């Protein structure tokens, strides 16, 4: 099996390499190709990956490829983890909306649209080359944000793609630790859209223990997601961290006036990580990587690859077409929920209807994502303004126009 990692200059790549080695019995990778357009970062991260693979006894071949076609040629799976414009573009995505009194975040709100407009055309071009060069039936696994919009764009163009986020596996690991059970005994029934999900059940050996989890550990979980404990009780569900941008919008906007932008924090962490990766004596994942965010990223990616290529049929939370599973949404909406994953792809598992307080917000954001994907694919600025107007974190016509102009200039 040949795996191509596009955007491998990311400081996450050592995390991914570590995960691949843990799943080596189920993923028989004999060729791992790391590609990035930044040759210096690729050399640094690739050197770190090589040392890690040697330490873990990897018997296959690692290749660093500056040319995209080399990476894609014959690949059985393509993992996308690109960041178009790097942390500098992310800084604009976070700070430009904040200047207009809106949420400044790279995947949610106006910043998310800016990222989608930059990112979707690049991702689609990579996917078109993969269609021409990769192995027949090759899978595209998208970790590139905004995952819901990017995955929708890939599927709309007929690509064999599945989107993936680390939120569900992060919750699974946290809850398993609280319950003092092995993570593989816990299934979080997380549903909604990417970065707009709620856990409505926690299954442990066939029993839903969500009520016990909230009763016993609700204070800790509320602290982790930055929302009031009472909200968990009122909803009877655990919202993802990203719901704080909707449930505590004014408080977040006020906090962002005084806080250092996350992009600046991450850029500093990345500089430290790259310095560590340059050290020829470092051959294990450094602790600093935990501060980068994206906890359990490698486990999510490798679990999905293993399920696809071993035809295991295991249940994983992924981003895929709704196909009528969540009522009130269109069949072609891209939802995030538990799905049966095997060699044929991801089949969403049946879900009970969303309660009105969840469904209303999901429908609102799904409408935005539909228009945003169209705008990003076409580059149409009128559609982009309509997307911002539809986004619940922008809404106003004049504000949408002002934001669009400023985001385009940035």
């Amino acid at each position: 099996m040949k795996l191509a990692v596009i955007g491998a200059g990311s400081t996450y790549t050592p995390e991914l390499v570590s995960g691949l080695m843990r799943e080596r019995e189920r993923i028989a990778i004999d060729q791992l190709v790391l590609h990035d357009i930044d040759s210096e970062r690729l050399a640094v991260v690739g050197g770190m990956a090589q040392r890690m693979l040697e330490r873990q006894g990897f018997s296959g071949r690692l290749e660093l490829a500056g040319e995209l076609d080399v990476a894609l040629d014959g690949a059985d799976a393509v993992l996308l983890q690109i960041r178009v414009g790097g942390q500098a573009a992310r800084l604009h995505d976070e700070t430009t909306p904040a200047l207009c009194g809106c949420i400044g975040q790279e995947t949610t709100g106006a910043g998310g649209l800016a990222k989608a407009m930059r990112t979707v055309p690049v991702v689609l071009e990579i996917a078109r080359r993969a269609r021409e060069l990769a192995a027949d039936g090759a899978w595209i696994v998208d970790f590139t944000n905004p995952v819901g919009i990017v995955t929708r764009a890939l599927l709309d163009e007929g690509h064999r793609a599945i989107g993936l986020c680390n939120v569900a596996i992060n919750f699974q690991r946290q809850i398993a630790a609280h319950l003092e059970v092995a993570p593989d005994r816990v299934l979080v029934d997380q549903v909604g859209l990417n970065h707009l999900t709620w856990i409505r059940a926690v299954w442990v050996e066939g029993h839903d223990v969500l009520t016990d989890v909230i009763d016993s550990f609700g204070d800790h979980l509320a602290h982790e997601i930055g929302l009031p404990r009472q909200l968990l009780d009122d909803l009877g569900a655990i919202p993802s961290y990203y719901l704080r941008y909707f449930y505590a919008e004014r408080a977040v906007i006020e906090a962002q006036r005084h806080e250092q932008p996350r992009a600046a924090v991450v850029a500093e962490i990345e500089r430290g990580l790259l310095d560590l990766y340059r050290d020829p004596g470092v051959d294990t994942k450094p602790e600093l990587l935990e501060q980068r965010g994206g906890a359990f990223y490698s486990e999510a990616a490798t679990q999905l690859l293993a399920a696809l290529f071993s035809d295991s049929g295991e249940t994983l939370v992924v981003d895929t077409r709704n196909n009528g599973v969540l009522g009130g949404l269109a069949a072609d909406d891209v939802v995030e929920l538990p799905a049966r994953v095997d060699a044929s792809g991801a089949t969403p598992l049946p879900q009970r209807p969303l309660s009105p307080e969840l469904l209303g917000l999901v429908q609102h954001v799904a409408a935005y994502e539909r228009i945003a994907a169209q705008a990003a694919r076409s580059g149409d600025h009128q559609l982009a303004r309509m997307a911002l107007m539809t986004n619940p974190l922008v809404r106003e016509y004049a504000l949408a126009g002002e934001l669009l102009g400023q985001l385009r200039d940035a």
Side-chain angles (χ1 to χ4, degrees), residues 12 15 106-107 142-145 147 163-174 188 190 194-195 197 199 240-242 289-290 292-301 303 317-319 336:
Y12 281 132
E15 172 94 0
E106 64 158 343
T107 62
D142 177 57
F143 246 109
T144 296
N145 279 318
V147 167
L164 198 57
C165 181
N166 71 310
V167 169
I169 194 170
N170 192 14
F171 270 125
Q172 180 208 37
R173 299 308 169 91
Q174 285 189 53
V188 294
Q190 176 177 295
N194 178 244
H195 289 184
T197 52
I199 295 173
S240 83
Y241 170 85
Y242 291 90
L289 188 55
E290 304 299 326
R292 173 65 180 82
F296 307 113
Y297 153 72
S298 67
E299 283 88 341
Q303 280 181 5
V317 176
V318 299
D319 291 83
E336 185 169 297

Side-chain angles (χ1 to χ4, degrees), residues 140-162:
I140 295 176
V141 175
D142 177 57
F143 246 109
T144 296
N145 279 318
V147 167
I149 296 172
V150 172
T151 302
R152 181 180 191 115
L154 285 165
L155 293 174
D156 285 349
E157 293 215 350
H159 296 290
R160 197 168 155 88
I162 298 177

Side-chain angles (χ1 to χ4, degrees), residues 123-140:
V123 166
L124 292 180
E125 182 55 34
I126 293 169
R128 292 183 191 113
R129 293 301 291 160
R131 180 179 280 159
E132 296 169 2
L133 297 171
D136 291 340
W139 283 101
I140 295 176

Side-chain angles (χ1 to χ4, degrees), residues 96-111:
T96 301
L99 294 174
C100 295
C102 295
I103 291 287
Q105 213 277 328
E106 64 158 343
T107 62
T108 299

Side-chain angles (χ1 to χ4, degrees), residues 179 185-187 201-213:
L179 296 174
R185 292 178 58 195
V186 177
L187 171 65
V202 175
W203 299 99
V204 178
E205 297 179 351
H207 300 285
D208 181 6
V209 299
L210 175 63
T211 300
D212 294 338
V213 168

Side-chain angles (χ1 to χ4, degrees), residues 88-339:
R90 176 179 179 170
L91 185 62
H92 286 303
D93 294 343
E94 292 179 353
T95 56
T96 301
L99 294 174
C100 295
C102 295
I103 291 287
Q105 213 277 328
E106 64 158 343
T107 62
T108 299
L113 178 70
K115 184 167 190 177
M117 296 291 287
R118 273 197 320 275
T119 303
V120 165
V122 178
V123 166
L124 292 180
E125 182 55 34
I126 293 169
R128 292 183 191 113
R129 293 301 291 160
R131 180 179 280 159
E132 296 169 2
L133 297 171
D136 291 340
W139 283 101
I140 295 176
V141 175
D142 177 57
F143 246 109
T144 296
N145 279 318
V147 167
I149 296 172
V150 172
T151 302
R152 181 180 191 115
L154 285 165
L155 293 174
D156 285 349
E157 293 215 350
H159 296 290
R160 197 168 155 88
I162 298 177
L164 198 57
C165 181
N166 71 310
V167 169
I169 194 170
N170 192 14
F171 270 125
Q172 180 208 37
R173 299 308 169 91
Q174 285 189 53
I175 291 170
H178 285 310
L179 296 174
E180 298 181 347
V181 299
D184 60 8
R185 292 178 58 195
V186 177
L187 171 65
V188 294
D189 197 346
Q190 176 177 295
V191 298
L193 310 176
N194 178 244
H195 289 184
L196 195 85
T197 52
W198 298 261
I199 295 173
R200 300 190 299 166
V202 175
W203 299 99
V204 178
E205 297 179 351
H207 300 285
D208 181 6
V209 299
L210 175 63
T211 300
D212 294 338
V213 168
I214 293 178
D215 287 346
S216 301
F217 315 115
D219 290 345
H220 177 84
L221 291 169
H223 176 74
E224 286 291 309
I225 62 178
L227 287 167
R229 160 62 192 272
Q230 185 62 45
L231 177 62
L232 279 65
D233 295 326
D234 291 348
L235 293 174
I238 304 170
S240 83
Y241 170 85
Y242 291 90
L243 264 300
R244 66 192 292 266
Y245 298 114
F246 298 87
Y247 290 149
E249 180 181 358
R250 294 181 187 181
V252 171
I253 289 172
E254 180 59 29
Q256 288 184 336
R257 298 182 195 277
H258 310 289
E259 294 174 352
Q260 185 180 23
R262 176 63 181 168
V265 175
V266 170
E268 183 61 32
I269 293 171
E270 286 199 336
R271 283 190 286 271
L273 284 169
L274 290 170
D275 285 342
L276 287 171
Y277 295 169
R278 290 185 180 95
D279 184 344
V282 177
D283 60 3
T284 57
K285 184 180 72 172
E287 290 184 7
L288 182 60
L289 188 55
E290 304 299 326
Q291 299 178 32
R292 173 65 180 82
F296 307 113
Y297 153 72
S298 67
E299 283 88 341
T302 54
Q303 280 181 5
L304 177 57
L305 289 170
L308 289 170
F309 287 96
S310 68
D311 196 27
S312 68
E314 62 196 274
T315 299
L316 300 172
V317 176
V318 299
D319 291 83
T320 189
R321 293 286 199 204
N322 179 38
N323 290 333
V325 170
L326 283 180
L329 296 180
D332 66 342
D333 283 333
V334 169
V335 293
E336 185 169 297
L337 41 61

